[in-house]
Amino acid sequence: MAVQAVESSTGSTGSAGSAGSSVSLGPAVALSCRECGERFPLGPIFACAECFGPLEVAYDLPTGDPEGLRKRIEAGPNNIWRYAPLLPVPADVADKPNINPGFTKLVKADNLARELGVTGELHIKDDSGNPTHSFKDRVVAQAVEAARAFGFTTLSCSSTGNLAGAVGAAAARAGLRSCTFIPHDLEQGKVVMAAIYGGDLVAIEGTYDDVNRFCSELIGDPAGEGWGFVNVNLRPYYAEGSKTLAYEICEQLGWRLPDQLVIPIASGSQLTKIDKGLKELIALGLVEDKPYKIFGAQAEGCSPVSTAFKAGHDVVRPQKPNTIAKSLAIGNPADGPYVLDIARRTGGAVEDVNDEQVVDAIKLLARTEGIFAETAGGVTLGVAKKLLENGVLDPTLTTVVLNTGDGLKTLDAVAPTTGPTAVIRPSLDAFREAGLG
């Protein structure tokens, strides 16, 4: 990937627009390499100039008064900006035109728990309630604020569908141009949703990994000048939006950590940032420190991280995706090695399920809790069910399973086996003959 560099503590320089000390992004103070620890000024960069490791946001967080911080958060808006003191955003972020995602429902899933034999608390964090009906609204809202700070005029991304829709909506709301890139064979619902907001939507012949490679070339080309790619040159800020899932879950549980979380894996960034968010809450004294386990969920047809975990490997070998869970179909997940580290450090695991199990899980969640999940949610619940059956998940503990999107976007997955119970004539006799009365 091309690297847009800014001046580092070692003196290397490059072009990055409005980077450095002139940028005000709340408690964010620098970018830090996850591998070597080298720090860089805030700017539109994503890879370390010293070792090419991934960069993430470093903070000066408000410490010393957890009760005051807790009250400040609780008095905030019912969206992710209630956590502005912990995010790389300006202090007045809530007053700017944004799609304002977040604070979605944490559903206590008692019916599902009985079905699965869970005796502890079982919750579904249902992010289908976001503005474009997926968790991607969280990360894009963060990226918009960074794009504004760095003077970008076009918002872009490589996407498996949900992200393109979120970028299109957020750009329209912010008054920015959008141009997004997707694989050519996505679900029609996601294509229509990504296109409806009026930006340019470009379908690339190939897989998501092909799309991502193309975007990496475009970002280093004059044609990409002034473009903020939310999951490339804005990635460090974009990724921080996933932390808000951790914040919300703990606040909605009464400011306590869950014992177990089951999280879908695409690039793996969401899982790593949820772990980061949980650790921040502990460090700030907002929740009591205790062990928690993180479990990753993949589709069998695109399971490079699960394969590596089961084999005891530290290297994640790329796979060619072949699954109905297209939003998770990233064959070369950037954060895969970090997911392995977190699963092992917390005592969790990474597991996968096949397409039939995905569909069964979608129907199970709909039938028991009235939540229609997209295929990624079917993967996550399917893995949770499998882990319970295998004795890996503890059924007596407080468990949170993530549903990251709306089933109306992936109707093709369930349509062949879902439809009317019966087709009858408009008469009571026909109703009774069908065995319905």
Side-chain angles (χ1 to χ4, degrees):
M1 290 184 174
V3 178
Q4 293 175 292
V6 298
E7 185 176 356
S8 77
S9 59
T10 59
S12 61
T13 60
S15 174
S18 304
S21 60
S22 63
V23 174
S24 177
L25 289 175
V29 294
L31 296 177
S32 176
C33 178
R34 205 185 301 183
E35 291 294 330
C36 72
E38 182 72 19
R39 285 201 167 197
F40 301 84
L42 296 172
I45 59 173
F46 60 96
C48 176
E50 301 300 318
C51 73
F52 299 104
L55 299 181
E56 60 182 10
V57 179
Y59 296 94
D60 180 12
L61 293 176
T63 58
D65 183 16
E67 189 57 35
L69 178 57
R70 191 181 292 116
K71 289 179 179 178
R72 181 180 173 188
I73 290 170
E74 291 172 344
N78 288 330
N79 55 53
I80 62 172
W81 307 133
R82 68 197 286 113
Y83 307 110
L86 311 180
L87 297 170
V89 293
D92 63 347
V93 62
D95 300 324
K96 296 185 176 185
N98 201 297
I99 54 176
N100 298 330
F103 222 64
T104 54
K105 293 179 181 179
L106 183 69
V107 178
K108 193 165 184 292
D110 292 341
N111 296 332
L112 178 62
R114 283 191 293 272
E115 184 98 4
L116 296 178
V118 172
T119 56
E121 292 182 30
L122 178 62
H123 299 265
I124 303 295
K125 179 58 172 171
D126 185 13
D127 243 23
S128 66
N130 276 312
T132 70
H133 307 285
S134 90
F135 92 95
K136 291 295 187 181
D137 290 324
R138 297 175 182 272
V139 289
V140 171
Q142 289 285 151
V144 166
E145 296 311 312
R148 284 186 174 123
F150 303 135
F152 289 121
T153 55
T154 296
L155 214 59
S156 186
C157 69
S158 54
S159 173
T160 57
N162 282 325
L163 181 56
V167 166
R173 174 72 176 134
L176 299 171
R177 179 200 175 203
S178 70
C179 183
T180 58
F181 301 88
I182 58 174
H184 70 286
D185 60 349
L186 286 187
E187 303 96 334
Q188 187 65 13
K190 289 181 180 176
V191 173
V192 171
M193 188 168 198
I196 197 68
Y197 300 107
D200 293 314
L201 178 67
V202 181
I204 301 288
E205 295 177 356
T207 67
Y208 171 80
D209 297 294
D210 296 318
V211 178
N212 202 37
R213 280 192 293 272
F214 169 79
C215 288
S216 296
E217 294 177 15
L218 180 57
I219 198 172
D221 189 271
E225 185 72 25
W227 287 35
F229 286 79
V230 300
N231 51 349
V232 189
N233 58 351
L234 296 177
R235 188 176 184 84
Y237 314 94
Y238 156 94
E240 294 294 282
S242 289
K243 295 193 311 182
T244 60
L245 279 161
Y247 299 158
E248 287 178 21
I249 288 167
C250 290
E251 182 180 354
Q252 290 168 324
L253 287 175
W255 292 107
R256 61 188 174 96
L257 293 167
D259 299 309
Q260 306 173 137
L261 298 99
V262 187
I263 303 168
I265 299 169
S267 71
S269 176
Q270 182 188 69
L271 186 149
T272 64
K273 294 309 181 203
I274 288 175
D275 178 63
K276 183 181 181 184
L278 296 176
K279 290 192 293 184
E280 287 177 352
L281 293 180
I282 293 169
L284 290 166
L286 292 174
V287 296
E288 181 183 349
D289 189 4
K290 69 170 189 177
Y292 60 86
K293 294 182 178 182
I294 290 183
F295 298 84
Q298 292 204 289
E300 185 180 284
C302 186
S303 54
V305 187
S306 174
T307 299
F309 181 86
K310 293 175 183 177
H313 295 162
D314 296 324
V315 176
V316 177
R317 294 182 177 275
Q319 294 180 358
K320 186 175 181 180
N322 181 22
T323 172
I324 61 171
K326 295 183 184 295
S327 60
L328 303 183
I330 298 180
N332 189 19
D335 279 28
Y338 302 108
V339 170
L340 294 174
D341 292 342
I342 290 167
R344 289 165 179 157
R345 189 196 80 231
T346 65
V350 185
E351 185 56 89
D352 55 78
V353 286
N354 61 36
D355 286 353
E356 183 179 354
Q357 291 168 310
V358 171
V359 172
D360 288 345
I362 291 171
K363 293 181 176 180
L364 173 63
L365 183 58
R367 175 170 56 81
T368 56
E369 299 297 342
I371 297 171
F372 184 14
E374 72 157 287
T375 48
V379 169
T380 313
L381 179 56
V383 163
K385 183 174 182 289
K386 186 174 181 179
L387 292 172
L388 283 165
E389 292 169 349
N390 293 342
V392 180
L393 267 180
D394 188 334
T396 68
L397 300 179
T398 298
T399 304
V400 176
V401 177
L402 270 65
N403 172 45
T404 53
D406 194 320
L408 290 174
K409 295 185 178 186
T410 57
L411 290 173
D412 289 352
V414 295
T417 57
T418 307
T421 303
V423 178
I424 65 170
R425 302 183 307 279
S427 72
L428 287 174
D429 286 343
F431 178 75
R432 293 188 180 98
E433 287 170 5
L436 301 170

